[in-house]
C-alpha cells in the first residue's frame, strides 16, 4: 500500500504493511482472532448493530473466536442463541439486568450459588428489586409466590453446596402459564446432563469456568436462550453493559470442549467411587450426591438427568464441629483447598457460616470436587486424614 509512487517511511510501514502470509491455512483448531476495531471495505458497509448478523461491527460484539464458542455452546445445549460473558456470575447478573426494573420481584432458590444471593441482596436491592428465596423443593408450589410484579424465576439444580434437586419442569410449566421467564444456573450439568430447554426453561446460564474450561485456567460464562424474544431482550443489555471476553480465553474453552465428553465420563465414575467410600465411613452422617437415594430430590435427578458430575458434599456426625472439620481438611494431601470446581485437581472446601441447614449441619459440611487423579489414591488420602486425627 502506498499513497503515491513514493515509498513509505519505515515508521508508516510498521502500521501499513505489505506482508501477507500464504492464505488457505487449515488446522483442527479455531484461530485466535483478536481485535477491537473491525475494518469495513467502504463507508457504505459500516454496520451499526450489536447482532452482527451479516457483518462484523466492533470487537465488543465478538470476533470469530468468541462467536464460534457461543455457537458451539448453543449447539450443545439446543439453544436458539448463546452469548459468551466474562464469567458465570456475570451471566447471572446480565440476566437480572435484562429483565428487572425498579419495583420488580424475582424468585430464587435458597440453595442458590452464594455470590448470586449476594448480588440480589446487594446491588439489586439498591436498585429497588425485591428478591425472595424459595424452598428448592417447592415444585409447582411456586405458583403461590408469583406476584403481578414478578419478572423472573431462577432455578439451580442441584443447589450449590447443599445439592438439593429441583422439579424444574413443574416450576417452568407454572411460570409459562403465568408468563414469567424461568432462568436456570445449569453449571452442574455442563450444559449436557440436564436438557434445560427440553424441560421448559427460557434461559440457561453456565460458568464455563468449570467443566467447559476444565483446567482451572480461565473464567468465562454463557447465557443461552430458548427463543428470539429472549435473544432480543438479553442482547441489548449485554451490549449496553459492555461485558466483553478475551478471544484467548475463548480459544481455551474451545479446546476444553474437545475433551469434555471423556472428562465428564471419568469424573462421574471417580466421584461415585469416592462418594460411595465416604458413605461407608463412621464419621459421615450424610452424603449429598444426586445419584444417591438419600440426596434431597434424588428421584428428580433420576428422571431428568443423564449423568452426575464431580461435586458432592458430606455432612459429618454430630461430634464434629467447624474446628474439627478445619483440622481434617488441613490433613488432606491430594485434595487441595480452594474454591471453584470442574478442573483436573481434587478440591475440598468447608462453609462454617452456612446457615441454610438445620441442627448446625452447615458447620459440619465438607464439599469435595473430584479431579482426574486415581480414585484409590484419593480414598487413601481421605482415610489417612480421618485416621490420623
Ligand atoms: C462457579 C459458579 C458460578 C460463577 O462462575 P464464575 O465463572 O466463577 O463467575 C455460578 N454458578 C455456579 C453454580 C457456580 O458453581
Amino acid at each position: 500500500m502506498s499513497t503515491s509512487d513514493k515509498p513509505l517511511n519505515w515508521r508508516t510501514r510498521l502500521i501499513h504493511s505489505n506482508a501477507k502470509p500464504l492464505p488457505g491455512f487449515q488446522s483442527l483448531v479455531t484461530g485466535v482472532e483478536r481485535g477491537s476495531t473491525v475494518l469495513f471495505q467502504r463507508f457504505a458497509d459500516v454496520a451499526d448493530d450489536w447482532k452482527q448478523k451479516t457483518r462484523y461491527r466492533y470487537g465488543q460484539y465478538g470476533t470469530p473466536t468468541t462467536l464460534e464458542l457461543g455457537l458451539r455452546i448453543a449447539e450443545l445445549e439446543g439453544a436458539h442463541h448463546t452469548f459468551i460473558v466474562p464469567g458465570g456470575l456475570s451471566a447471572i447478573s446480565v440476566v437480572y439486568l435484562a429483565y428487572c426494573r425498579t419495583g420488580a420481584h424475582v424468585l430464587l432458590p435458597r440453595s442458590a450459588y452464594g455470590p448470586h444471593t449476594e448480588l440480589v441482596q446487594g446491588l439489586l436491592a439498591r436498585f429497588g428489586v425485591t428478591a425472595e428465596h424459595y424452598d428448592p423443593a417447592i415444585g409447582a408450589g411456586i405458583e403461590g409466590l408469583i406476584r403481578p410484579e414478578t419478572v423472573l424465576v431462577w432455578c439451580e439444580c442441584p443447589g450449590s453446596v447443599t445439592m438439593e434437586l429441583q422439579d424444574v419442569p413443574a416450576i417452568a410449566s407454572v411460570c409459562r402459564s403465568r408468563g414469567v421467564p424461568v432462568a436456570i444456573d445449569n453449571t452442574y450439568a455442563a450444559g449436557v446432563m440436564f436438557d434445560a430447554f427440553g424441560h421448559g426453561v427460557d434461559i440457561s446460564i453456565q460458568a464455563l469456568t468449570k467443566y467447559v474450561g476444565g483446567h482451572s485456567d480461565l473464567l468465562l460464562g454463557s447465557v443461552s436462550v430458548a427463543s428470539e424474544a429472549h435473544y432480543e431482550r438479553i442482547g441489548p443489555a449485554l451490549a449496553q453493559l459492555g461485558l466483553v471476553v478475551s478471544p484467548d480465553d475463548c480459544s481455551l474453552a474451545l479446546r476444553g470442549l474437545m475433551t469434555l465428553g471423556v472428562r465428564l465420563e471419568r469424573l462421574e465414575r471417580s466421584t461415585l467411587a469416592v462418594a460411595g467410600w465416604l458413605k461407608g465411613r463412621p464419621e459421615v452422617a450424610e452424603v449429598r450426591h444426586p445419584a444417591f437415594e438419600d440426596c434431597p430430590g434424588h428421584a428428580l435427578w433420576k428422571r431428568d438427568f443423564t449423568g452426575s458430575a464431580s461435586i458432592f458434599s458430606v455432612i459429618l456426625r454430630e461430634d464434629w464441629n467447624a474446628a474439627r472439620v478445619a483440622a481434617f481438611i488441613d490433613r488432606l494431601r491430594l485434595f487441595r483447598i480452594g474454591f471453584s470446581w470442574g478442573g483436573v485437581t481434587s478440591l475440598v472446601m468447608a462453609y462454617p457460616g452456612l446457615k441454610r441447614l438445620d441442627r448446625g449441619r452447615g458447620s459440619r459440611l465438607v464439599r469435595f470436587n473430584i479431579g482426574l487423579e486415581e480414585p484409590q489414591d484419593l480414598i487413601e488420602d481421605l482415610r489417612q486424614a480421618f485416621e490420623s486425627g
Side-chain angles (χ1 to χ4, degrees):
M1 186 192 300
S2 73
T3 51
S4 67
D5 292 339
K6 272 208 293 201
L8 295 171
N9 180 276
W10 67 270
R11 289 183 187 81
T12 306
R13 187 56 78 201
L14 289 176
I15 315 300
H16 301 275
S17 169
N18 278 332
K20 294 275 179 291
L22 186 66
F25 177 75
Q26 289 190 52
S27 87
L28 292 167
V29 299
T30 306
V32 179
E33 306 252 21
R34 296 192 191 84
S36 50
T37 293
V38 171
L39 296 177
F40 304 98
Q41 282 310 314
R42 300 170 309 157
F43 182 69
D45 294 338
V46 173
D48 192 17
D49 185 2
W50 60 265
K51 288 180 189 165
Q52 294 196 141
K53 276 258 162 95
T54 54
R55 63 178 68 123
Y56 289 94
R57 177 194 179 191
Y58 184 50
Q60 176 99 28
Y61 310 108
T63 76
T65 315
T66 65
L67 295 179
E68 175 164 339
L69 180 59
L71 289 166
R72 300 273 310 254
I73 300 291
E75 184 177 81
L76 212 53
E77 294 189 13
H80 174 74
H81 182 88
T82 297
F83 299 96
I84 303 298
V85 295
L89 186 56
S90 53
I92 294 168
S93 61
V94 76
V95 172
Y96 276 110
L97 289 165
Y99 290 88
C100 289
R101 52 180 157 65
T102 302
H105 171 252
V106 296
L107 289 159
L108 70 156
R110 232 183 336 266
S111 51
Y113 176 63
H116 181 164
T117 293
E118 286 166 31
L119 167 68
V120 298
Q121 291 173 347
L123 204 56
L124 291 175
R126 204 142 56 68
F127 287 103
V129 173
T130 304
E132 186 178 348
H133 281 103
Y134 65 84
D135 176 353
I138 198 165
I142 197 84
E143 175 109 54
L145 298 181
I146 294 176
R147 307 178 190 170
E149 65 272 24
T150 306
V151 296
L152 190 63
V153 173
W154 275 94
C155 296
E156 188 179 325
C157 183
S160 278
V161 184
T162 44
M163 307 302 288
E164 301 89 342
L165 280 302
Q166 293 200 262
D167 194 340
V168 176
I171 292 173
S173 143
V174 166
C175 292
R176 175 133 314 173
S177 71
R178 299 288 299 268
V180 179
V182 177
I184 189 169
D185 185 332
N186 204 17
T187 301
Y188 176 91
V192 292
M193 290 183 284
F194 177 77
D195 177 4
F197 299 115
H199 287 102
V201 165
D202 299 295
I203 304 144
S204 168
I205 77 98
Q206 267 195 78
L208 303 178
T209 306
K210 309 289 167 52
Y211 292 121
V212 172
H215 296 77
S216 312
D217 55 2
L218 64 89
L219 288 151
L220 278 177
S222 60
V223 182
S224 299
V225 294
S227 68
E228 183 72 9
H230 294 295
Y231 168 73
E232 292 279 354
R233 188 80 188 228
I234 291 176
L238 193 55
Q240 286 162 31
L241 285 165
L243 294 177
V244 297
V245 296
S246 155
D248 298 86
D249 288 342
C250 290
S251 84
L252 287 175
L254 285 163
R255 184 165 73 171
L257 278 176
M258 294 194 263
T259 56
L260 180 65
V262 287
R263 284 187 286 110
L264 286 177
E265 210 176 293
R266 172 68 190 237
L267 291 173
E268 174 172 39
R269 234 180 319 126
S270 297
T271 304
L272 285 167
V274 175
W277 181 84
L278 280 162
K279 208 161 175 34
R281 285 297 303 189
E283 297 88 350
V284 173
E286 272 181 66
V287 177
R288 290 193 167 202
H289 182 298
F292 289 7
E293 275 179 13
D294 53 350
C295 190
H298 162 74
L300 298 167
W301 173 81
K302 214 166 160 178
R303 187 189 69 187
D304 297 342
F305 281 67
T306 58
S308 59
S310 67
I311 42 163
F312 66 98
S313 294
V314 303
I315 298 168
L316 297 161
R317 290 206 188 273
E318 277 173 24
D319 53 337
W320 285 67
N321 57 24
R324 201 170 161 199
V325 166
F328 166 74
I329 286 176
D330 286 343
R331 286 194 296 275
L332 289 164
R333 295 168 192 157
L334 294 177
F335 284 88
R336 310 299 301 271
I337 306 167
F339 289 105
S340 204
W341 41 280
V344 302
T345 312
S346 291
L347 298 172
V348 61
M349 188 51 67
Y351 301 84
L354 188 73
K355 295 279 186 292
R356 58 181 191 257
L357 295 177
D358 61 1
R359 294 177 281 124
R361 287 182 297 164
S363 61
R364 295 185 271 122
L365 179 146
V366 182
R367 203 270 297 269
F368 294 101
N369 170 67
I370 303 302
L372 293 178
E373 303 93 337
E374 191 62 26
Q376 198 54 40
D377 288 334
L378 297 173
I379 287 170
E380 289 311 320
D381 190 26
L382 291 162
R383 190 199 308 279
Q384 67 77 22
F386 277 129
E387 294 176 3
S388 62

